[in-house]
Amino acid sequence: MTRKVTNQRRRTVLKTMAGGSIALLAGCSGTSDSGGDGTDSNTDSDATDQTDGSTESGGSTESGESLEMTYVYPGYFSNDAQSLVPMFEEQASGITVESQQTPSDASSTREYYVNQFVSGSSSFDVGNMDVIWPAEFAQNGWAAEVSDPEGHTENMLQTPIDSVTVDGTMYGMPIHTDANALYYRTDLLEEHGYDSPPTTYMELVNMAQDIMDQSDKDLNGYIWQGGSNEGLTIMWLNWFWGMGGELRQDGNLVVNSQEGIDALAHAVDLIHEYGVTPESIPASSTDQNRQTFQQGNTIFMRNWPYAVALMNEDGSPVKGKFDVAPMPKAEGNPDAKNSCLGGWNLFINANSENKEAAQRFASYMSSMEAQEKMALEHSRLPVRQELYSDEYYEQASQLETFAKIVDQTSARPATPQYSTFSEIVYTNCNAALVQEKTPEEALNDAQEEIDSEVNNA
């Protein structure tokens, strides 16, 4: 399978740097299909918690020598990286960062990392790590221990810290959390007599059908992650949790419960029975969905916080015409926590020969300066508690809504075999979406594989 790794190189040592540019160099091919995908606009932030030429995480190296480090990030984080890397370099005198971009989707990024790990490669020093990978990376000795010399974690939300802590040791530094939400067109709802978004699955279906029938435009009712990748596992979990499903039963992961089958059946019906979801969804990616919604012909979309900044850029057809709301739930389950907790961390390659520079970079990315930049300009959900306050809600209105959504999240199962579990789930769910299997057949097949490769591994 061909992989795309696009290089961005910054070769100028900062003490002589008057300006900088990041040039995109190489590339093959890749797909974009992960939660939290996307790119953002880049502008400067006024906020800082640094003083005088020394920094919380940068400054001169202990030896006084210049250091070079290589940072690998998924495509969804490209605009964040393009603005944050120069900010770090300006603070960290003597450290030069070479950046490499992997495909946007989490699955391909993980595969790239694993290929590097198994070969014992030290070709990169620090990388973005999905919230579901720390246990696997730690168990296999792929991620080095990360320290917190500036005490950033003292001001963090606890869940992101827990996600990178394995047996009492931190193997990553949280940089942003995530929670998926329902995006909806405020203008279309208002135009057709609705003053609030749907709160249940069938309210969404009925509302979408009504607006589609009334409109003289060719509208999509509801688009969501249906491609054969991690995003579909998350989407199934959204419906499953919203129906009151419990994934762990007697210590085992169980997907073919009645709630599991009903959740997948609802997904299939959205496409083939209710007609509110396009038949192309089983081949779609998260950011393809964002682009479709942004074109202005879609009523509802499930997506992540990053989409807010992109869709509110100047020239966007939906700028000022959408809002976000908590994920709808099944009737009778108003308190279900069915938004999936996501997020990304920075980890240090255990084979890195530049762990000092990598540690400084990881620390900087959790600083107040970097967190403000990500939250206010790239619509990332920050991991620092200080940013969840009225001061910042006034600057980023959706941040307050997402803060409430975070309280309605559930976490994917913590297991070193999670990637195996997820691949089994999304492969079989996708087969049901294209009607190669019934929902019950798909999840019975998935359960058999999970029992063999995860529960009894």
Side-chain angles (χ1 to χ4, degrees), residues 6 24 39 43 49 61 80 83 86 114 119 125 149 164 183 201 234 270 276 352 371 375 383 386 406 409 444 449:
T6 303
L24 293 177
T39 56
T43 56
D49 58 348
T61 63
D80 305 64
S83 58
V114 172
S119 67
D125 304 294
V164 297
Y183 284 71
Y201 297 156
I234 295 172
L270 287 171
V276 298
S352 169
Q371 289 285 298
V383 293
E386 306 100 307
V406 167
T409 58
N444 283 340
E449 294 180 65

Side-chain angles (χ1 to χ4, degrees), residues 8-241:
Q8 291 183 316
R9 303 191 182 277
R10 294 180 52 88
R11 290 297 193 183
T12 309
V13 178
L14 293 185
K15 57 186 178 183
T16 63
M17 186 179 77
S21 63
I22 299 180
L24 293 177
L25 299 183
C28 302
S29 67
T31 57
S32 172
D33 46 17
S34 167
D37 296 348
T39 56
D40 303 89
S41 60
N42 296 308
T43 56
D44 292 332
S45 170
D46 294 329
T48 179
D49 58 348
Q50 318 295 337
T51 57
D52 294 328
S54 65
T55 74
E56 295 180 349
S57 52
S60 300
T61 63
E62 292 180 4
S63 63
E65 299 177 353
S66 296
L67 293 176
E68 277 196 11
M69 57 161 278
T70 300
Y71 167 43
V72 173
Y73 60 87
Y76 90 90
F77 202 68
S78 61
N79 275 20
D80 305 64
Q82 288 174 37
S83 58
L84 290 163
V85 167
M87 290 168 60
F88 167 71
E89 290 179 316
E90 289 173 6
Q91 304 287 342
S93 174
I95 299 180
T96 304
V97 179
E98 175 186 300
S99 299
Q100 296 179 349
Q101 179 180 311
T102 69
S104 291
D105 64 293
S107 301
S108 294
T109 296
R110 176 187 168 277
E111 184 174 342
Y112 169 78
Y113 287 147
V114 172
N115 287 338
Q116 300 300 306
F117 297 147
V118 297
S119 67
S121 174
S122 60
S123 62
F124 77 95
D125 304 294
V126 62
N128 286 40
M129 175 172 61
D130 197 335
V131 71
I132 58 178
W133 298 342
E136 178 188 19
F137 282 22
Q139 183 184 68
N140 288 290
W142 296 336
E145 181 177 347
V146 172
S147 60
D148 181 23
E150 285 81 39
H152 292 311
T153 55
E154 296 175 7
N155 297 308
M156 281 187 188
L157 303 171
Q158 188 60 42
T159 301
I161 300 171
D162 292 343
S163 77
V164 297
T165 303
V166 181
D167 296 331
T169 299
M170 282 179 57
Y171 288 94
M173 179 64 75
I175 56 171
H176 71 83
T177 189
D178 249 340
N180 40 47
L182 180 71
Y183 284 71
Y184 65 97
R185 286 284 300 277
T186 52
D187 58 332
L188 291 177
L189 265 64
E190 181 179 353
E191 179 184 344
H192 292 92
Y194 296 99
D195 57 10
S196 60
T199 59
T200 70
Y201 297 156
M202 290 312 298
E203 281 180 3
L204 186 153
V205 169
N206 294 334
M207 196 179 295
Q209 289 177 332
D210 182 38
I211 294 174
M212 292 169 72
D213 289 343
Q214 291 188 53
S215 177
D216 57 3
K217 299 177 182 178
D218 185 15
L219 297 175
N220 298 313
Y222 183 30
I223 59 176
W224 37 271
Q225 178 63 61
S228 188
N229 56 72
E230 175 65 19
L232 180 52
T233 299
I234 295 172
M235 200 69 237
W236 173 76
L237 285 169
N238 291 152
W239 289 308
F240 174 70
W241 288 327

Side-chain angles (χ1 to χ4, degrees), residues 155-418:
N155 297 308
M156 281 187 188
L157 303 171
Q158 188 60 42
T159 301
I161 300 171
D162 292 343
S163 77
V164 297
T165 303
V166 181
D167 296 331
T169 299
M170 282 179 57
Y171 288 94
M173 179 64 75
I175 56 171
H176 71 83
T177 189
D178 249 340
N180 40 47
L182 180 71
Y183 284 71
Y184 65 97
R185 286 284 300 277
T186 52
D187 58 332
L188 291 177
L189 265 64
E190 181 179 353
E191 179 184 344
H192 292 92
Y194 296 99
D195 57 10
S196 60
T199 59
T200 70
Y201 297 156
M202 290 312 298
E203 281 180 3
L204 186 153
V205 169
N206 294 334
M207 196 179 295
Q209 289 177 332
D210 182 38
I211 294 174
M212 292 169 72
D213 289 343
Q214 291 188 53
S215 177
D216 57 3
K217 299 177 182 178
D218 185 15
L219 297 175
N220 298 313
Y222 183 30
I223 59 176
W224 37 271
Q225 178 63 61
S228 188
N229 56 72
E230 175 65 19
L232 180 52
T233 299
I234 295 172
M235 200 69 237
W236 173 76
L237 285 169
N238 291 152
W239 289 308
F240 174 70
W241 288 327
M243 292 180 172
E246 293 287 343
L247 200 55
R248 285 200 180 272
Q249 298 183 19
D250 298 325
N252 289 324
L253 296 175
V254 177
V255 299
N256 64 341
S257 61
Q258 190 59 55
E259 294 88 352
I261 295 168
D262 289 346
L264 184 53
H266 179 70
V268 172
D269 286 345
L270 287 171
I271 302 171
H272 302 288
E273 177 69 21
Y274 306 134
V276 298
T277 293
E279 291 189 6
S280 60
I281 281 296
S284 70
S285 72
T286 299
D287 203 54
Q288 287 172 350
N289 290 340
R290 188 272 304 171
Q291 293 173 41
T292 297
F293 188 90
Q294 191 164 342
Q295 291 169 1
N297 63 344
T298 301
I299 306 166
F300 299 110
M301 171 183 69
R302 187 286 251 151
N303 217 309
W304 302 83
Y306 85 95
V308 172
L310 289 175
M311 297 195 302
N312 271 328
E313 288 181 344
D314 290 341
S316 169
V318 297
K319 181 179 180 181
K321 299 178 181 179
F322 71 92
D323 207 344
V324 295
M327 294 293 294
K329 310 168 197 312
E331 189 75 33
N333 289 282
D335 298 323
K337 295 186 174 184
N338 68 320
S339 178
C340 185
L341 181 68
W344 288 77
N345 316 286
L346 289 185
F347 77 98
I348 298 172
N349 182 0
N351 297 314
S352 169
E353 297 175 357
N354 300 298
K355 289 188 175 70
E356 177 187 349
Q359 175 63 63
R360 289 170 184 249
F361 182 70
S363 294
Y364 175 76
M365 292 287 275
S366 61
S367 70
M368 193 65 176
E369 178 178 65
Q371 289 285 298
E372 281 191 342
K373 185 79 168 180
M374 283 186 273
L376 299 181
E377 297 183 16
H378 301 297
S379 61
R380 306 291 176 199
L381 296 189
V383 293
R384 294 187 70 111
Q385 298 182 59
E386 306 100 307
L387 287 160
Y388 293 95
S389 65
D390 290 341
E391 175 186 355
Y392 295 101
Y393 296 157
E394 291 173 0
Q395 299 176 67
S397 59
Q398 277 89 6
L399 182 59
E400 184 172 11
T401 300
F402 275 110
K404 297 175 182 177
I405 293 172
V406 167
D407 289 335
Q408 299 181 27
T409 58
S410 292
R412 286 162 282 182
T415 170
Q417 287 82 36
Y418 178 80

